[in-house]
Each structure stands twice: as C-alpha cells, then as structure tokens.
Amino acid sequence: MGQFSIGQSVTRREDPRLLMGRGRYYDDLKLDGQLHAAILRSPHAHADIRSIDARAALQMPGVHAVLTGVDYQADGIGTMPSMAPYKRRDGSAMYLPHRPAIAVGRAMHVGYPVAVVIADTLDIARDAAERVVVDYKPLPAVVSAEAAFQSGAPQLYSDCPNNEAYFYQAGDKAATEAAFAKAAHVVQQRLVINRVTANTLEPRGVTGVYDPGTRRYTLHCGFQRPWLFRNAIAEATLKIPEADLRLITGDIGGSYGLRGSVYPEIILMLWAAKRVGKPVKWICTRSEAHISDDDARDNIVDAALALDGDGRFLALKIRSFGNLGAFVSFRGAMPPVVNIGTVCGVYTTPSAYVAISGMLTNTHCTSPYRGAGRPEASYMIERLIDIAADEMRIDPSELRRRNTIPPTAMPYKTPLTFTYDSGRFEENMDRALKLADWKGFEKRRQAAAKRGKLRGIGLSNTIEQAADATIETAEIRFDPLGGVTFVTGSISHGQGHATVQTQMLVDRLGVDPDRITFIQGDTDAVAFGMGTGGSRSTTMSGGAIVLVADKVIAKGKKLAAHILEASEGDIEFKEGRFAIAGTDRGVGIHEVAKAAFRLEKLPRGMEPGLYETATYKANSGNFPNGAHVCEVEIDPDTGETQVVGYWVVDDVGTVINPMLVKGQIMGGIAQGMGQVLMEDKAYDEQGQVVSGSFMDYAMPRAEHFCPVVIEDNPVPTPTNPLGVKGAGEAGTVGSLSAGTNAIVDALSELGIKHIDTPCTPYRVWKAIRQASS
C-alpha cells in the first residue's frame, strides 16, 4: 500500500533511533549490583596445566572469586553444546571432543579460558587476573588441517586418530572417475582458502544473572538463534529445565554469523552469577576478540574438472580438508559440508564426487560466517572454469555459457545434494557482461599496459542455498486502541528487519505502519522460532506473516460482517478495509480490532480480542543466484591491486525492499573482497596468532572499492508464499571468486595461473617477481 508496499525502497525505520544515540546495545546494560569479570587465557596453543595459584589475586580488595577448571568440574557443569550431523569413516557418529567452557587440566588453543576473575570493577578484575600464576607444560601443536591428518602429526585427542572428526562423501565416485578417464581435458588446482574472522563493529559481551528464588538463569548477550541456544545450553551444559533459562538481547552491532555460536563466556558468566550471587558482566576487548571469537573458512582443497573436446563439463571432483579448530563449535561442523552442493554451480555437469574431512587442530574454533561454505563452494568451481578456459583458449564467459542450466530445466537436480528451484542464469550473465562492457575489456587492458599497469577482469556465476526446511513463528496482537504488536522469532543485527517486516504487514493487512510495535530477542516474550542465519529471515518470517495475517483476516471478516449486518460470505478484505462486496459500506482493520475488545460488538460465541499466532514450516530452502564481474588494475612494482569496476546482476526472487537488498549485496561484496585482497587470520607453526590486532589483520575500507553497479533479475521462487530468496550472503558468495579471477587474469600476462587468497600486495609482488625470474 503506497509508500510501504512490497517493492518500494522504504528507508530504514530503525535508523532515526539509532542515529540519535537511542539504541540499546550490550554495554548500555547496567544491572544493580553487577560485578565484572576478566578472563585469563592460555598463551599456549597446546599445554598441560600443572597448577594455578590464585592466592595473590584473591587477596586484592574488591575481588570476589577466581574460578578455574577445578571449580567447574566440582559444580558439575557440562560440556559446551555442539551439533554433530556427520559420520566417521566407520559409520559411527562424528567425534565430538569434550569441551568444558574453561580449561580442565589442558589448554587446547591460544585464548582458551584458564581462570575467571570476578570483582567489583573491570579494572580490579583485570589487575587481579595478572596476579594469577599458571604453570604450563607446553605440548606439540598443529595448526594446518591437512598437516593434522598426516602420520606423525601431534594428536589432540587419543581417541581421535589422525585428528579427523568426520569424513563426508557425496556424489557418484565411480561415475566421476569414469568421466575423468575418458575426458579430453582435465584441469586441477590446489586451493588454499584462508581463515578470516568477523570483526563486528560491536564486540561480544555477556551478562549472567541467577535468581535463587525462582532458580532461573537470565542471559543477556547478542545472539542469532535464541531458542536453539536455550535448548542446547539447558540440556547439555547447565543440565536444567529449558524454562529455567531466559535469553534477552537488545540492539546488536553486527554479527555475520559470529553471534550464532555458543561461546565459553556465555556459560562462564551464568555459572559465575550463581557462584557469587550477583549479576556478572564480561565485555570483550578488541584484542581479546582476535583470540576468542570464532573464525571462519580455512579450507585446503584439491579440485579437478573434466571436460570434453568442446568444453562441455563431464565431471567434478573435490577433496577438501576443513579446519574445525581445537573443538567443534555449536554449528562449526557444518560450513565445510552443508553448502558443498553448490560446488556444481549453475552448470549441467553430469557427475560429481566430493570427499571432506573435518579436522581438529590447535586453533580457535571455526563457525558459520557470512556464506558458511557457500563462497568456498562457488570459489572451487569458478576458479576451475577460469583455469580450463585459459588452457583451452576459450573465453571464460563462453565456456560458462556452453554449460549453463537453462530455465526450462527447472527444477534442476544436481549430481550432488541440491535441487534448484528457479533462475535465469544465462540472462544474469549476459546482463552483467553488458554492464561491464566485457567485449571492450581488451582495449582497457592495452591502455593500462601503456601506463605500466596489469589489468584483469573476472566473472563468477554463483548460486547458493538460502533459508532451510525449518520453522518460524509470528504473532500479531491488536490492542484495544487498534495498535499492532508484531512478535517475531527472527533477530535483527543490522539488516533492517523492522523495515521489511513493516512492509510485509502493511502489504498483507493494510495496517498503519506508524501503529506497529515490534518485539524480538526475549525468549519469555517471543513465540518459538529458529532465529536468524543462512539468509532465512525474510523467507521464514515472511511465510509466518502470510499465515498469521490470513488468520487475522478470517476472524476480522466474521466480526466485520456482524458490525455491518451482512453475510460473512459478502465481506471482502482489501488494503486494510473490510467491505460488503459491490458497495461502499465497510470498516477499517483498526476499527475492527477495537470492536474485538468491546463485548457488546461481538457476535455470539466469538472470543474477544484480535490476536493470532502462526508457525510457518518451509518444505525446502531456495536458491538465490547471480553473476558478478570484477575488474582490477595491479601495479607490478608494488603488487597493489585496485578495484576499478564491479557489476552484479542478482536474482533474490521477490524484492521486498530494493534499497535494503542492494545494501546487503554491497556489504557482502565488501566482506568477500576483504578476503580476496587483505583479510587473513594467520597462525604460526606453534599456534600463535600472528594477526591478533588491526595492525596485522587488515580490514577493507572505502578507499579499496569503486562504485558498484547492482541490478535485480528477480525470478520468484515457488518454495514460499512471497516468492522471496535470501539476499544476505549473495554478495560474499560471488565476490570471492570474481575478485580472485580478476586478479589472476591480470597476472596471466606474466604466465601466472593461480594465486591464493588473500592477494595482498606482498603476495602479488612476490608472484610477479617469481614469474619474472
């Protein structure tokens, strides 16, 4: 309806409050009587803990407690929760190491909590933590996923041979091997997909509260999946009834998957609060985040593609080692596997086979991070295609065109795990190529060469799975004055949920947008939901809104018929108004809502009030897709890469808010190109973090980008009521491969066939020097 109808670029309704400093982020929370916690962390990647002496710390005024692994065991606190959906080679359940929230006898990675100091102030707690003396016995460490698999590598756990937590296979191995045997061309490449971390604007923080009267815990922190957290923590770790744990979050300053994991600090603050009888607050410093936040990516992949003499894809083969870290985080087993199905890309490859090892190393845990396996899978196939195009002397766009799935083939079953729902993949590519003036690139390359620069262009045609076959609940409550409260299980951490959900509510019910209030982020107030992650929120909350709105309309028609003294069958509902068909007699939805609370207005047998709840169950995910073209220029004297052009044509199905979609895609491109150009969470051979601050972990800034052209090519999906596809991760999925392809294309003038991410100036300069020699 008007400004707020679906498809309009409504400005973010959240922003005025946030821009005027009226947001309520974690550190704004200050509870009466709260104490503060500082965490002493292991400086070693692998070490036995011989002893901990906390006497000097406990003697300091203002210190209430120093908690260690001995206390943790004595109090019967359980292991950290983790999902374990995969198998070992013998078919048994995957290996899940016991993970106490604090070290019990052994430190497994740098940054692992060893002691928690609780004091009146944060400064006292930090000073006291420095007085805790720990006697360590360092042990051999291993940090590389592939090295951990080798014979003779340090073993993290005696009952986990070769440090392999799981082994996953998919596809038809025999058919794939047969296709490779008869192929006219085979290309293969080792791909080292480096480790990165989220570095959200707002660091993590946790406040734990325990009420001895009700025996309930309350957890204040930023999170993405409150109900999954509550269930897992209550069952696996605290061993309490689920209803005895409440989770609350306020505004969240970014997540990208970071807050989708259950961290040790969450458990430690809840435990500490019960121990000392007061709320306990911990907030992460930026330096601390580099050794305590979950990381992401970190895959070593041997990839191969078989083609016939005409460049038709015959088969795809992947052998991958995914680095899980020292433990398996809450959802950390999944990224190496859960989206590997999209390694088939948008192509008609007849057969494929993948084999993936989830490896344990003396590094911090990895977890889902914007894309969660999608960028990696797309990177594998898109790099292989460019390598094949180079070897066969075929234009990269033409090689892709010969193998692209046509729209008439939908739904399309790939040789791995997914069935694509819809899309016009070749059209995406054609439009992106036109925007980028692909045909005119050689002239631009020649012009750059005259200026002493290397110019390259890269293309990626990517597809990803978004949302999932789960559930989401929505509740609509009208009050006696006609106001609307919308209660949702999804969690916004910057995406603009209140804006998009307002548009969907206005579209379905015609309500006044200024009369809508939102409730999220409190498990005592919100109906069950699966939260936010995997580009699911608009799909799932949108589906729930459709269902609950239909319930509101159905009851509203009964009440409107009574008010208008008409038959229910004669009542129509359109744009927020119930009317008698063929007449101008009607009543607005807000007036009907008011009447629902007036007993004298109700027909016999109707319950008072207008509030409904609905739970939407998706039968499948959906598959956003798009084409990215990146153009770069490299200074061969310094190795510095400049992005000089970027164009995207994306299909995210029905576009609810074009402005927010473009913002999501632009943000994803920035994070993907950050990994291409500079971001790198690096460890040395002893497991020490060598990029533990922003002096060493480079982050992309505005100066590293150019104007990005983003266009839509929406093909509504039949898999959900609104036809929407996920948009939150699309930019990251496409940019990792498009950016790298562009850089390699620029370097191909010197005979360079591949370069691993991040393509830092030093790494590029070094490759140029080696090629020149």
Side-chain angles (χ1 to χ4, degrees):
M1 292 179 62
Q3 176 191 355
F4 285 89
S5 60
I6 285 178
Q8 297 298 310
S9 288
V10 178
T11 54
R12 284 169 42 108
R13 297 173 64 76
E14 303 91 332
D15 286 355
R17 176 178 64 88
L18 300 177
L19 291 172
M20 290 188 287
R22 295 172 182 167
R24 187 167 177 79
Y25 292 92
Y26 170 73
D27 202 34
D28 294 319
L29 177 70
K30 294 173 175 60
L31 301 180
D32 289 343
Q34 73 181 16
L35 303 177
H36 296 265
I39 298 175
L40 179 66
R41 300 180 182 275
S42 171
H44 301 285
H46 200 193
D48 284 334
I49 298 173
R50 290 170 168 150
S51 64
I52 300 175
D53 186 350
R55 288 174 295 180
L58 287 168
Q59 290 170 2
M60 290 182 61
V63 173
H64 290 253
V66 178
L67 303 179
T68 68
V70 173
D71 305 307
Y72 190 91
Q73 274 192 318
D75 287 356
I77 309 299
T79 189
M80 297 275 293
S82 177
M83 298 180 181
Y86 307 121
K87 304 288 186 183
R88 300 172 86 169
R89 289 176 183 264
D90 61 5
S92 61
M94 69 171 280
Y95 183 81
L96 271 184
H98 178 67
R99 186 189 184 190
I102 191 169
V104 178
R106 179 170 289 184
M108 300 303 296
H109 61 81
V110 168
Y112 194 16
V114 173
V116 181
V117 179
I118 302 153
D120 289 333
T121 69
L122 182 56
D123 287 341
I124 293 174
R126 288 174 176 169
D127 287 346
E130 293 183 359
R131 298 193 181 188
V132 177
V133 179
V134 184
D135 182 12
Y136 295 98
K137 178 186 176 183
L139 300 171
V142 61
V143 299
S144 161
E146 186 184 37
F149 188 73
Q150 304 304 313
S151 175
Q155 296 297 291
L156 273 70
Y157 306 98
S158 60
D159 53 346
C160 184
N162 298 104
N163 299 305
E164 187 181 59
Y166 65 75
F167 181 68
Y168 174 88
Q169 300 178 86
D172 189 328
K173 184 176 183 179
T176 300
E177 294 294 352
F180 269 84
K182 70 176 184 181
H185 300 277
V186 172
V187 295
Q188 49 193 346
Q189 180 64 51
R190 165 153 289 202
L191 304 169
V192 179
I193 303 171
N194 66 300
R195 181 180 286 230
V196 293
T197 193
N199 288 323
T200 55
L201 189 63
E202 180 190 29
R204 292 184 300 115
V206 180
T207 295
V209 181
Y210 180 72
D211 183 339
T214 62
R215 295 190 298 180
R216 290 192 84 202
Y217 294 87
T218 300
L219 169 66
H220 296 270
C221 73
F223 47 72
Q224 292 179 220
R225 298 179 180 269
W227 290 94
L228 289 179
F229 274 30
R230 190 176 87 150
N231 175 272
I233 294 169
E235 180 179 25
T237 313
L238 298 181
K239 303 172 186 176
I240 59 174
E242 188 172 341
D244 286 352
L245 176 59
R246 179 186 184 187
L247 276 68
I248 303 174
T249 189
D251 293 311
I252 299 174
S255 182
Y256 319 115
L258 174 75
R259 302 178 205 274
S261 198
V262 179
Y263 287 90
E265 297 84 7
I266 288 175
I267 308 303
L268 294 176
M269 295 310 112
L270 292 171
W271 171 50
K274 184 177 182 180
R275 265 279 188 147
V276 301
K278 291 185 177 182
V280 180
K281 179 176 183 176
W282 167 83
I283 189 161
C284 191
T285 67
R286 187 63 70 180
S287 295
E288 196 174 14
H290 282 283
I291 57 170
S292 65
D293 286 356
D294 282 1
D295 300 327
R297 313 289 193 245
D298 200 347
N299 312 89
I300 298 174
V301 183
D302 289 313
L305 180 66
L307 306 91
D308 69 13
D310 296 323
R312 305 287 180 184
F313 301 166
L314 300 176
L316 174 68
K317 186 164 50 177
I318 300 293
R319 177 68 175 107
S320 176
F321 293 90
N323 197 334
L324 307 181
F327 303 101
V328 182
S329 69
F330 186 48
R331 297 170 66 85
M334 299 177 183
V337 170
V338 70
N339 288 298
I340 195 63
T342 50
V343 75
C344 296
V346 298
Y347 309 109
T348 57
T349 312
S351 62
Y353 170 72
V354 299
I356 302 169
S357 294
M359 300 302 300
L360 297 167
T361 67
N362 295 112
T363 61
H364 202 271
C365 292
T366 55
S367 281
Y369 164 71
R370 200 168 192 167
R374 300 167 180 86
E376 299 95 301
S378 294
Y379 182 74
M380 295 172 200
I381 182 63
E382 294 297 316
R383 281 297 300 127
L384 286 174
I385 294 172
D386 264 32
I387 293 167
D390 181 61
E391 291 191 8
M392 298 180 71
R393 299 187 182 278
I394 302 173
D395 183 278
S397 66
E398 173 58 25
L399 186 57
R400 288 172 170 83
R401 190 183 311 281
R402 293 180 191 179
N403 293 279
T404 297
I405 301 166
T408 54
M410 297 298 171
Y412 184 85
K413 178 67 180 76
T414 73
L416 288 179
T417 56
F418 294 144
T419 298
Y420 299 154
D421 53 37
S422 59
R424 296 191 292 263
F425 309 139
E426 188 173 359
E427 185 177 313
N428 292 340
M429 182 175 71
D430 287 340
R431 287 179 52 182
L433 294 175
K434 184 176 180 180
L435 288 172
D437 186 20
W438 182 273
K439 293 180 179 179
F441 171 71
E442 284 305 323
K443 290 183 179 178
R444 299 194 295 278
R445 191 199 292 270
Q446 292 167 12
K450 292 179 180 178
R451 293 183 281 106
K453 302 296 176 67
L454 301 170
R455 198 170 182 111
I457 194 166
L459 168 65
S460 70
N461 284 352
T462 51
I463 190 166
E464 54 166 316
Q465 183 192 36
D468 44 21
T470 55
I471 63 173
E472 194 60 60
T473 301
E475 183 179 354
I476 292 176
R477 305 174 188 164
F478 282 87
D479 60 47
L481 297 179
V484 186
T485 297
F486 178 65
V487 186
T488 175
S490 65
I491 304 291
S492 178
H493 34 84
Q495 300 96 323
H497 286 187
T499 304
V500 172
Q501 289 165 356
T502 294
Q503 289 181 258
M504 292 189 285
L505 288 166
V506 171
D507 179 78
R508 302 304 293 192
L509 293 175
V511 292
D512 180 350
D514 291 329
R515 301 184 74 176
I516 301 174
T517 300
F518 292 88
I519 295 177
Q520 67 157 23
D522 183 344
T523 55
D524 275 7
V526 174
F528 182 84
M530 298 298 286
T532 296
S535 301
R536 72 185 301 275
S537 294
T538 300
T539 297
M540 300 303 292
S541 65
I545 285 172
V546 169
L547 295 183
V548 71
D550 287 346
K551 289 184 176 183
V552 169
I553 292 167
K555 183 172 182 179
K557 282 185 175 181
K558 294 179 187 294
L559 184 52
H562 181 72
I563 295 169
L564 296 172
E565 299 179 333
S567 168
E568 183 184 338
D570 291 334
I571 300 296
E572 296 179 338
F573 180 76
K574 185 178 180 181
E575 295 186 351
R577 185 172 175 81
F578 297 92
I580 301 173
T583 75
D584 60 357
R585 294 183 59 211
V587 60
I589 190 169
H590 292 285
E591 296 307 311
V592 168
K594 292 178 184 178
F597 290 89
R598 297 173 59 183
L599 300 183
E600 73 277 9
K601 293 283 188 180
L602 298 180
R604 187 181 301 275
M606 177 176 283
E607 291 184 13
L610 188 57
Y611 22 76
E612 299 288 350
T613 301
T615 299
Y616 171 69
K617 179 184 181 300
N619 294 319
S620 68
N622 54 75
F623 291 89
N625 55 88
H628 292 228
V629 179
C630 177
E631 193 164 328
V632 301
E633 203 166 84
I634 297 173
D635 184 338
D637 293 329
T638 64
E640 183 177 1
T641 299
Q642 180 183 2
V643 181
V644 295
Y646 206 105
W647 305 267
V648 186
V649 176
D650 255 324
D651 166 20
V652 296
T654 301
V655 179
I656 305 295
N657 186 311
M659 180 183 69
L660 294 191
V661 166
K662 289 181 179 179
Q664 286 288 307
I665 292 171
M666 182 63 235
I669 290 169
Q671 286 182 289
M673 290 301 295
Q675 182 170 4
V676 170
L677 295 172
M678 62 194 70
E679 292 190 52
D680 190 27
K681 182 67 176 291
Y683 292 78
D684 67 15
E685 292 183 357
Q686 286 72 45
Q688 294 294 324
V689 178
V690 296
S691 52
S693 75
F694 287 147
M695 292 292 289
D696 304 296
Y697 188 103
M699 292 282 284
R701 297 181 290 186
E703 66 188 41
H704 298 116
F705 294 93
C706 63
V708 176
V709 178
I710 301 171
E711 291 192 358
D712 301 319
N713 187 24
V715 181
T717 175
T719 63
N720 63 72
L722 294 175
V724 298
K725 301 175 183 176
E729 289 154 311
T732 313
V733 175
S735 57
L736 182 62
S737 44
T740 306
N741 282 345
I743 291 170
V744 175
D745 182 57
L747 297 174
S748 67
E749 295 289 295
L750 304 176
I752 298 169
K753 303 296 184 182
H754 179 73
I755 185 170
D756 285 315
T757 58
C759 305
T760 61
Y762 174 71
R763 184 172 286 182
V764 171
W765 176 86
K766 185 177 178 182
I768 292 171
R769 298 283 80 73
Q770 290 174 343
S772 300
S773 64

